[in-house]
Amino acid sequence: MKPLAGQVALVTGAARGIGRAVAQRLAEDGALVIVSDRDADAANAVAHRLSALGHQATSLSLDVTDHVAVQASIEQICAEHGRIDVLVSNAGAGKSKPFLDMSEAELQSQMALNFGSVYVLAQACARKMQMAGYGRVIFVSSVTGLAGPVELSAYGAMKAGQLGLMRAMALELGEHGITTNAVAPGPTDTELLRVAWSAEQVAEAGERIPARRIGKPEEVAHAVSFLASPGAAFINGVVLPVDGGFTAAGGYMAEVYRQRKAHQNSARL
Ligand code: NAD
């Protein structure tokens, strides 16, 4: 028996990257997965591919910053499928800029995508979950919400805000059979990262992580799958870093990196 058999899971931003890997993993776990994204064609393609693999999947065109559409989509999902057991709030993106240069418009747009939409969607789903007496809410936060990121002030603050929201929801919804948890990925090999960073930056980031590489979307999906499972019923209000030890190492990794570089340079001489 698959752990999520008979369950309905909604994954936002699931057309590519971490969201796509999560959608695939939850489908493999037996859930009927609603692959949602603002890129409707790409979401459709993911759902078709999962169906072709013998899984249950359907697509939903949804821009999570459109709060009216979010409410309507949750009603539509419950009308069609009768329930939402799992929400994976994954859609998000960072805007890299020095703190002093961030405009108010950019701040508003970062807040709308990385916090406002997360709050409204979680609230809409939790209302349905409360009626059912069961639910699993998982936020895809970031290590930038755990440690101060460089030139990602608004994004990092909103990812930290997601963790505050998670704890508040855990407290208020726990008695209704709903758990709220978060994963905090470190640098993960997705389209978002490959656009933002050069190959050298990706390699260098890996050298600053104890595992000596960046993460894979499937590794984040593995953690989400665990938190989404019925067996995780007593895990509520926690953040699970999926970062190869990056946050555990903290500032020590900078020294390890410095020593490695010095060693490489002396070996070259
Ligand atoms: P990605 O850009 O590869 O994929 C994001 C998906 O979200 C895309 O399909 C995009 O169309 C969709 N999306 C963006 N805005 C949307 C909106 N308003 N409504 C609906 N869909 C929208 O990104 P990714 O790397 O897979 O990141 C996924 C999540 O993981 C994000 O929340 C990101 O902040 C977080 N994260 C990523 C990394 C990383 O290194 N890749 C690290 C930590 C956290």
Side-chain angles (χ1 to χ4, degrees):
M1 184 79 166
K2 293 181 176 177
L4 297 183
Q7 297 203 5
V8 176
L10 170 62
V11 185
T12 66
R16 66 181 207 183
I18 292 171
R20 182 176 55 200
V22 168
Q24 170 146 3
R25 179 59 193 263
L26 298 186
E28 287 166 359
D29 287 349
L32 185 165
V33 178
I34 296 150
V35 179
S36 99
D37 204 285
R38 69 177 173 189
D39 184 340
D41 290 343
N44 214 5
V46 172
H48 268 108
R49 199 177 62 82
L50 291 177
S51 300
L53 290 170
H55 304 304
Q56 295 182 83
T58 176
S59 69
L60 172 71
S61 171
L62 176 64
D63 181 334
V64 290
T65 60
D66 181 344
H67 296 180
V68 174
V70 165
Q71 302 287 358
S73 296
I74 300 310
E75 292 303 329
Q76 183 194 327
I77 291 167
C78 287
E80 277 177 27
H81 305 290
R83 53 201 286 174
I84 297 180
D85 301 285
V86 179
L87 166 65
V88 183
S89 180
N90 167 76
K95 172 86 186 170
S96 177
K97 223 172 201 193
F99 170 67
L100 294 177
D101 297 342
M102 187 75 77
S103 72
E104 193 174 339
E106 288 164 333
L107 171 63
Q108 292 297 344
S109 121
Q110 283 290 290
M111 284 167 48
L113 174 59
N114 295 305
F115 190 77
S117 74
V118 174
Y119 192 113
V120 169
L121 176 64
Q123 187 185 48
C125 287
R127 285 182 176 140
K128 300 295 182 190
M129 290 170 174
Q130 181 189 15
M131 285 193 271
Y134 181 90
R136 297 278 179 272
V137 178
I138 297 123
F139 295 139
V140 179
S141 176
S142 165
V143 291
T144 62
L146 296 171
V150 177
E151 298 188 348
L152 281 169
S153 55
Y155 175 77
M158 293 308 112
K159 289 296 187 182
Q162 290 180 12
L163 302 180
L165 173 62
M166 168 201 75
R167 293 186 188 101
M169 288 175 60
L171 183 69
E172 290 195 36
L173 305 175
E175 65 181 318
H176 301 297
I178 302 169
T179 65
T180 313
N181 295 294
V183 292
T188 307
D189 201 352
T190 66
E191 287 88 336
L192 178 135
L193 191 90
R194 292 283 171 180
V195 167
W197 289 2
S198 67
E200 292 81 50
Q201 284 174 306
V202 170
E204 193 177 319
E207 285 303 307
R208 293 178 188 275
I209 295 171
R212 297 193 78 167
R213 64 172 177 83
I214 65 167
K216 302 173 193 163
E218 297 75 28
E219 291 169 325
V220 181
H222 184 68
V224 171
S225 158
F226 167 65
L227 294 170
S229 65
F234 210 53
I235 300 171
N236 194 17
V238 304
V239 53
L240 178 55
V242 186
D243 66 354
F246 179 72
T247 43
Y252 285 109
M253 218 42 221
E255 176 56 17
V256 171
Y257 181 73
R258 191 191 66 73
Q259 286 173 8
R260 269 190 208 139
K261 278 281 174 205
H263 181 71
Q264 280 167 11
N265 289 341
S266 66
R268 260 191 233 114
L269 291 173

